[in-house]
Amino acid sequence: MENYVIKQARLINEERVDILVENGIIQKIAPCIETSYETLNFQDCYVSAGWIDIHTHCFDKFEIYGDQADFIGYPHGVCTVVDAGTAGSDTIDEFYQQVKNAKTRVYSLLNISSPGIFAQDELADLKRLNQEAIVQACQKYPQFIVGLKARMSKSVLGDSGNQPLIFAKEMQKFVNLPIMVHIGTAPSVLENIVDMLDEYDIITHVFNPKQNGILDKGYIKDCVYQAIEKGIILDLGHGTDSFSFETAKIAFQNGIKVNTISSDIYFKNRINGPVYDLATTMNKMLYIGYSLAEVIRCVTVNASKALHLDHLGSIEVGKTADFTVFHICPQDIELTDSLHQKVTMCHYLKPDYTIVKNHLYQIEEDK
Ligand code: ZN
Ligand code: ZN
């Protein structure tokens, strides 16, 4: 399916347009396009640029946080998944071979620890920080490695302190890529992490309920405003333990919103929850009060900008023809956060079709 027209696509701003695709690229957008190509008509469903999940785990070499791109991607309306550090420079070849022919698009944030997440404490031994190997990996896979990943929390770091992040910032001068930093339990204190990061770096797990998170006794910490001021990108990174409705709500009431919505999905939290898929995470942000347009922006244009995936993320002439087709289901849905808090919402967003790498997939009813 390389040449086709989506007839009367309903965009998020309620505009209706025809979208002409040739050779997998958006060629024309107009109120009415006549061609002999195959036509697709999604009636009253919305059509957005293909969704991008910038924090997933889709390398199944290691038991601990493994999964497969085609389990978390296209069957759930997600065209592009970014693996956030499951692989490091020692394992990137194997990861690339595993995903290069996946139906879902896959990119990597290279773990600064050479093996990747082979165990919970991949940064406890500083010998696993190998400058040369990281530079080589980034040179070998310039289209695949889109950033670096540093998991800066106690269980990962052992006694390494802030050393791995100092190393990552040093590495950045060589590879010129954004760094995604996972935040969690101190001693790597949020204030210090914000201090060390720059514009375009990314903090993930922003709405985690832990003490070292964005709140101090229910108030937003000053360093969160500093992060925004600096242009640091705030990413959701739901995960098993890292999303609290309460934290997200307090942030929302104080005008603090994430730039990108990501799932931090892997096989366990996909199958047993609380993550399940990206759409469920997006629904939680609708519940918090984000508008539908904001939620879609967080997984399309904002996600593509965060990782310089310039050919993805918007419905524009010249961009790759990845699309997600979805609708708003007027039914109750129960949503659960990482603290097992349950909320009910009376409507929810549900993906219907994924168009990625020139294939159209109908999304099965599940759950
Ligand atoms: Zn993490
Ligand atoms: Zn993760």
Side-chain angles (χ1 to χ4, degrees), residues 69-83:
D70 287 338
F71 291 165
I72 64 182
Y74 80 90
H76 302 274
V78 181
C79 294
T80 300
V81 297
V82 180
D83 178 83

Side-chain angles (χ1 to χ4, degrees), residues 55 57 149 151 153 180-184 202-210 212-214 234-243 247 258 262-264:
H55 185 165
H57 294 277
K149 177 81 188 282
R151 298 202 310 144
S153 61
M180 179 188 276
V181 175
H182 140 136
I183 57 167
I202 303 164
I203 294 179
T204 188
H205 306 315
V206 163
F207 297 145
N208 81 66
K210 295 163 194 168
N212 191 37
I214 63 168
L234 305 181
D235 175 54
L236 193 139
H238 189 308
T240 306
D241 300 319
S242 301
F243 178 78
T247 307
V258 283
S262 67
S263 64
D264 190 15

Side-chain angles (χ1 to χ4, degrees), residues 2 4 58 79 81 105 109 136 149-150 153 165 203 235 350 352:
E2 294 191 339
Y4 57 92
C58 57
C79 294
V81 297
R105 274 179 220 286
L109 295 171
Q136 272 174 15
K149 177 81 188 282
S153 61
L165 189 51
I203 294 179
D235 175 54
K350 188 188 167 304
D352 302 294

